Amino acid sequence: MAEEMTEDLLRIGELASRAEVSRRTVDFYTGLGLLVPTRSGGNFRLYQPADVQRIAAIRRLEAQGIRLDEIARLLTGETEDAARAAHSEGSGPASPATLEGYLSSLDAQVQALRDLPEVTDHGTRGVLAGLVGRAQVLIATALILSDELLPGAEFLPPL
Amino acid sequence: MAEEMTEDLLRIGELASRAEVSRRTVDFYTGLGLLVPTRSGGNFRLYQPADVQRIAAIRRLEAQGIRLDEIARLLTGETEDAARAAHSEGSGPASPATLEGYLSSLDAQVQALRDLPEVTDHGTRGVLAGLVGRAQVLIATALILSDELLPGAEFLPPL
DNA sequence: TTGCTCCTCACGTCACGTGAGGTGGC
DNA sequence: TTGCTCCTCACGTCACGTGAGGTGGC
């Protein structure tokens, strides 16, 4: 069984063609730590089949204007900085910035935005709509990725 | 009364120092259409006092990774493109992308995210938290701007 | 005159790739 | 041999400014 999994590993050319990006791009992403291949005896990089979805996820995140270095952090699991970079509170460690925490803050603030007295200024309405629209697209992206990114293949019946 | 308002107009140097940016930056923003001064008889640009807050708003939006050309669009009131650029649905004109519309989509999707089965994968949790965190900061920014951006001075009692 | 403005050309930095070229092992 | 890989140096583009310099009117 461990044998079987090893046979699935991909070299850069194969991964690039499945993910529909150039080898050079896979190389570049690997250099940035976005992809973490193992190495073959002959020093070839060996990627997981799931790295195809990982690349798709990276592209989706890039499309949302998230920088590659932050994508690397998110994929690696270093959550903390996200809030700090944008807000720079600076004081205590406070909350560990969990998914649930963000979701409740988001709920509360959306409510606050609804409770706002009617905004009449044209430009201001545009800005608010733009920001809320962006937030909405981010959440939509989260939903899509929660579906695509999970290593579902491992749990699929052999069929 | 019209006389009084004219006296409040600012030239580039004054605006730059109040907004705490360089003249060059005000010049640059003006060239991009982010600021729309009138002109004096001597061809000097004349800015509104409210442009100080406008610049503050621009900086806040920039800090969220929003490009200057899109900020210009938002401030000018061309809302439509936001959703299209990120999604590229392409079909019909559909909804006019209102603030209310985005808010309800957002609510619905946040709920969908809550309803998700527990995500166990470490990296995926990080990505979701990162996206929701970003969305949360955007909404927080919207709240701040709704407060700062409104031309409140015009409606303030003379004191 | 002094200080401020106008405008334009060019340079600098950062993120994100992309090209090219020489290398070595399957 | 062929095709693929490795790695590195350099160039290209785009967004966002910033510097410098010559101009003219208050």
Side-chain angles (χ1 to χ4, degrees):
Chain A
M1 180 145 180
E3 204 73 4
E4 281 177 42
M5 305 204 71
T6 315
E7 291 180 325
D8 284 78
L9 296 177
L10 312 174
R11 285 187 302 173
I12 191 170
E14 181 63 14
L15 174 60
S17 95
R18 289 201 200 177
E20 300 188 88
V21 298
S22 70
R23 281 155 217 241
R24 202 62 193 73
T25 298
V26 174
D27 187 33
F28 182 61
Y29 283 177
T30 305
L32 294 179
L34 286 160
L35 299 169
V36 187
T38 57
R39 293 280 175 166
S40 74
N43 199 33
F44 288 178
R45 299 171 183 128
L46 295 176
Y47 297 91
Q48 302 292 333
D51 283 338
V52 175
Q53 342 313 326
R54 192 172 172 103
I55 289 173
I58 292 166
R59 306 299 268 191
R60 255 185 227 286
L61 293 167
E62 278 194 88
Q64 297 314 311
I66 303 178
R67 285 202 319 276
L68 293 178
D69 61 352
E70 196 184 339
I71 296 176
R73 256 190 295 131
L74 295 178
L75 286 168
T76 313
E78 304 177 31
T79 319
E80 35 169 346
D81 279 321
R84 197 170 302 179
H87 252 179
S88 68
E89 303 283 83
S91 45
S95 55
T98 64
L99 178 53
E100 289 70 24
Y102 284 135
L103 279 171
S104 355
S105 303
L106 186 52
D107 264 346
Q109 285 172 325
V110 165
Q111 197 48 54
L113 208 47
R114 283 189 190 283
D115 291 344
L116 228 55
E118 188 68 14
V119 176
T120 53
D121 177 62
H122 191 55
T124 303
R125 279 195 74 79
V127 171
L128 298 189
L131 286 170
V132 177
R134 281 194 166 236
Q136 188 261 317
V137 173
L138 287 177
I139 301 299
T141 302
L143 280 168
I144 293 169
L145 290 184
S146 71
D147 216 67
E148 286 182 353
L149 207 57
L150 291 177
E154 293 179 13
F155 304 117
L156 282 182
L159 186 56
Chain B
M1 180 141 179
E3 204 72 6
E4 280 176 45
M5 306 204 70
T6 315
E7 290 179 325
D8 283 80
L9 296 177
L10 312 174
R11 286 186 302 173
I12 192 171
E14 181 63 15
L15 175 60
S17 94
R18 290 201 199 176
E20 299 188 271
V21 297
S22 71
R23 281 156 218 242
R24 202 62 194 75
T25 297
V26 174
D27 186 33
F28 182 62
Y29 284 177
T30 305
L32 293 180
L34 286 161
L35 299 169
V36 187
T38 57
R39 293 281 176 165
S40 74
N43 199 33
F44 288 177
R45 300 171 182 126
L46 296 177
Y47 296 90
Q48 302 292 332
D51 284 338
V52 175
Q53 343 308 330
R54 191 172 173 106
I55 289 173
I58 292 166
R59 307 299 268 191
R60 254 184 227 286
L61 293 167
E62 278 195 88
Q64 297 313 311
I66 302 180
R67 284 202 319 276
L68 292 178
D69 62 352
E70 195 183 340
I71 296 176
R73 257 189 294 130
L74 295 178
L75 286 168
T76 313
E78 303 175 32
T79 318
E80 36 170 343
D81 279 322
R84 197 170 304 179
H87 252 179
S88 68
E89 303 283 83
S91 45
S95 56
T98 64
L99 178 52
E100 288 71 22
Y102 284 134
L103 279 171
S104 356
S105 304
L106 187 51
D107 264 347
Q109 285 173 324
V110 165
Q111 197 48 55
L113 208 48
R114 283 190 191 283
D115 290 345
L116 227 54
E118 189 69 13
V119 176
T120 54
D121 177 62
H122 192 55
T124 304
R125 278 195 75 80
V127 171
L128 297 189
L131 286 170
V132 177
R134 280 194 167 235
Q136 188 260 316
V137 173
L138 287 176
I139 301 299
T141 302
L143 280 168
I144 293 169
L145 290 184
S146 72
D147 215 67
E148 286 182 355
L149 207 57
L150 291 176
E154 293 179 13
F155 304 117
L156 283 182
L159 186 56

